[in-house]
């Protein structure tokens, strides 16, 4: 049964999704975390979903790499090796296999919420990240292989990615755009959403069955900004630490509200389109605070309809009884702008930080896919001896 924090989040219309591993680590001595007098935290995907702890999953290349050694995946790799499937082809099938299992696990949540929740977001491979036609083909292939309505295809907000997003939505394929770190990229994504949904409407598709999500790496931005603030000599930067992520989230939330008030969106909504949701990646704990303080940062990003995406360690360490104070994003645009301006005054322009992350993220992502491809290639080889 969920703790108080989860009940408050549900009351505010927010969701918690699990990022990556589906088995949170146990506490000291093998006991599940939670503390005296608290129900132990669930320790399997089935328990996490059945207990209402999470209502969505994100499967990236790291989670897929971790699963390659499981008995079911090893058996699948043996069959694929017999069919002389290439490593890239095997990765596609393994990804689809894991995604379909996860979609089935969350199918009841998807049905009970009328398609508002219960999604599984799966990254696309990066074999040709600059070619929109290849990205769209990969997205369509994953959609066909998984064949579940609660799948979201995860696509980066690059130029090629934006074109693929439009194509996916036009085809009725749900998308998760990630990871975003700038307001400017979010504006481009909003235009892509409208373009894709307008094409879907022109094709006669049911817009109420097309889901869209945008995922912001707010904690990563905070981590990078705070490291730079700490390195500045002779400045009193303590008051600015841990504030950049929430400020960025509040600016983005304001843009979302403005977008939903435009005539273009109102026309799509009248045809059945649902507003896209905002997700905050790894938002459990501010970088300068200890692990037990996770709920306070989560509360700073709370508003109706948002998704909090947590890895297993943050999910397991989140306090169950942390006071949440309702919507902390709406009506806070002015104070958010003031916080961001304070960074510039302190000598840390946010654009420099996000530009660096924009270079680092694709490189990190490519390395993660390389590790998955290497593990899959090894699994396709016949056992020695």
């Amino acid at each position: 049964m969920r703790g108080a924090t989860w009940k408050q989040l549900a009351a505010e219309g927010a969701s918690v999704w699990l990022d990556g591993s589906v088995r949170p680590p146990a506490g000291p001595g093998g006991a599940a975390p939670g503390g005296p007098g608290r129900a132990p935290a669930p320790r399997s995907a089935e328990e996490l979903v059945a207990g209402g702890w999470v209502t969505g999953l994100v499967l990236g290349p790291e989670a897929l790499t971790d699963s390659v050694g499981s008995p079911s995946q090893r058996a699948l790799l043996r069959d694929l090796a017999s069919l002389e499937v290439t490593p890239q082809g095997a990765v596609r099938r393994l990804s689809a296999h894991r995604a379909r299992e996860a979609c089935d696990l969350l199918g009841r949540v998807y049905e009970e919420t009328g398609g508002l929740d219960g999604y599984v977001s799966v990254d696309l491979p990066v074999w040709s990240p600059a070619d929109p036609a290849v990205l769209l083909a990969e997205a369509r292939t994953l959609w066909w292989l998984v064949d579940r309505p609660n799948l979201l295809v995860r696509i980066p907000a690059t130029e090629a990615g934006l074109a693929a997003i439009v194509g996916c939505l036009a085809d009725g394929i749900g998308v998760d755009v990630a990871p975003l770190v700038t307001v400017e990229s979010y504006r481009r994504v909003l235009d892509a959403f409208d373009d894709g949904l307008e094409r879907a409407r022109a094709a006669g598709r049911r817009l109420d069955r097309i889901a869209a999500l945008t995922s912001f790496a707010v904690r990563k931005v905070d981590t990078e900004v705070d490291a730079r603030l700490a390195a500045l000599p002779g400045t009193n930067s303590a008051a600015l630490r841990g504030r950049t992520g929430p400020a960025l989230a509040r600016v983005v939330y304001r843009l979302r509200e403005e977008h939903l008030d435009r005539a273009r969106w109102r026309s799509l909504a009248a045809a059945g389109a649902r507003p896209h949701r905002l997700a905050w990646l790894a938002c459990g704990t501010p970088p300068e605070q200890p692990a037990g303080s996770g709920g306070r940062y989560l509360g700073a990003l709370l508003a109706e309809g948002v998704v909090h995406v947590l890895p297993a360690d943050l999910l397991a360490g989140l306090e169950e009884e942390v006071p949440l104070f309702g919507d902390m994003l709406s009506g806070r645009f002015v104070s958010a702008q003031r916080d961001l301006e304070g960074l510039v005054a302190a000598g840390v322009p946010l654009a420099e930080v996000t530009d660096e992350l924009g270079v680092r993220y694709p490189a990190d992502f490519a390395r993660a896919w390389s590790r998955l491809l290497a593990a899959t290639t090894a699994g396709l080889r016949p056992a020695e001896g």
Side-chain angles (χ1 to χ4, degrees):
M1 185 175 181
R2 291 180 299 176
T5 297
W6 273 262
K7 293 177 182 177
Q8 292 179 67
L9 287 169
E12 294 292 339
S15 303
V16 176
W17 290 12
L18 180 66
D19 185 4
S21 174
V22 297
R23 186 174 294 277
R38 296 179 181 174
R43 298 179 63 188
S44 70
E46 290 77 9
E47 290 173 319
L48 286 168
V49 173
W53 295 78
V54 298
T55 54
L57 294 172
V58 175
L59 293 177
E62 297 88 352
L64 295 172
T65 302
D66 291 342
S67 72
V68 167
S70 69
S72 63
Q73 301 293 69
R74 287 201 303 269
L76 180 56
L77 284 172
R78 286 195 297 270
D79 290 339
L80 294 176
S82 299
L83 296 174
E84 298 183 351
V85 173
T86 67
Q88 290 185 353
V91 166
R92 292 188 185 96
R93 288 162 174 80
L94 290 175
S95 179
H97 182 251
R98 283 291 311 279
R100 187 166 52 251
E101 288 182 334
C103 285
D104 288 344
L105 178 63
L106 284 155
R108 181 176 59 83
V109 177
Y110 175 80
E111 294 295 336
E112 291 179 352
T113 61
L116 177 65
D117 224 329
Y119 288 93
V120 177
S121 175
V122 182
D123 280 297
L124 287 182
V126 294
W127 318 135
S128 299
D131 189 334
V134 173
L135 284 176
L136 182 55
E138 290 283 2
R140 287 170 173 161
T141 300
L142 181 63
W143 182 257
W144 294 333
L145 287 172
V146 176
D147 194 25
R148 297 294 185 272
N150 55 332
L151 173 71
L152 295 178
V153 177
R154 213 165 195 228
I155 304 175
T158 59
E159 289 302 318
L162 291 172
I165 290 163
V166 173
C168 283
L169 294 174
D171 286 349
I173 299 172
V175 298
D176 173 10
V177 186
L180 296 178
V181 293
T182 70
V183 172
E184 291 74 19
S185 60
Y186 180 55
R187 288 194 177 99
R188 293 193 292 270
V189 169
L190 292 177
D191 289 337
F193 282 171
D194 288 348
D195 289 345
L197 289 172
E198 285 172 348
R199 295 187 189 184
R201 179 177 59 185
R205 300 188 187 280
R206 286 190 55 176
L207 301 190
D208 62 329
R209 294 188 176 180
I210 306 175
L213 182 76
T214 51
S215 298
F216 278 81
V218 288
R219 188 169 184 260
K220 177 61 72 174
V221 173
D222 253 348
T223 301
E224 295 297 323
V225 168
D226 286 359
R228 296 190 181 207
L229 288 170
L232 291 176
T235 61
N236 184 12
S237 61
L240 293 173
R241 297 183 189 178
R243 300 177 68 90
T244 307
L248 177 62
R250 288 161 185 161
V251 172
V252 165
Y253 198 80
R254 166 71 174 269
L255 286 177
R256 179 180 182 273
E257 292 177 322
E258 292 176 348
H259 172 259
L260 297 180
D261 195 43
R262 294 176 186 169
R264 188 181 185 189
W265 170 255
R266 290 199 300 269
S267 174
L268 289 167
R274 292 185 175 186
H276 70 281
R277 299 184 75 180
L278 292 171
W280 315 126
L281 300 176
C283 61
T285 309
E288 82 288 354
Q289 295 180 4
S293 62
R296 289 194 291 276
Y297 194 61
L298 185 149
L301 302 175
L302 181 59
E304 182 179 1
V306 302
V307 177
H308 299 279
V309 182
L310 305 177
D313 57 343
L314 293 184
L315 178 64
L318 186 64
E319 298 176 15
E320 292 191 29
E321 298 179 3
V322 176
L324 301 176
F325 301 101
D327 187 343
M328 297 295 288
L329 299 180
S330 302
R332 297 173 185 269
F333 177 76
V334 174
S335 62
Q337 288 284 73
R338 195 160 48 240
D339 285 340
L340 297 179
E341 290 168 0
L343 287 179
V344 178
V348 183
L350 182 59
E352 292 184 4
V353 176
T354 55
D355 286 348
E356 181 178 322
L357 289 174
V359 173
R360 190 187 309 165
Y361 264 123
D364 291 344
F365 193 59
R367 282 192 290 270
W369 276 100
S370 294
R371 288 191 291 270
L372 172 58
L373 186 62
T376 303
T377 302
L380 290 170
R381 296 192 188 107
E384 296 181 3

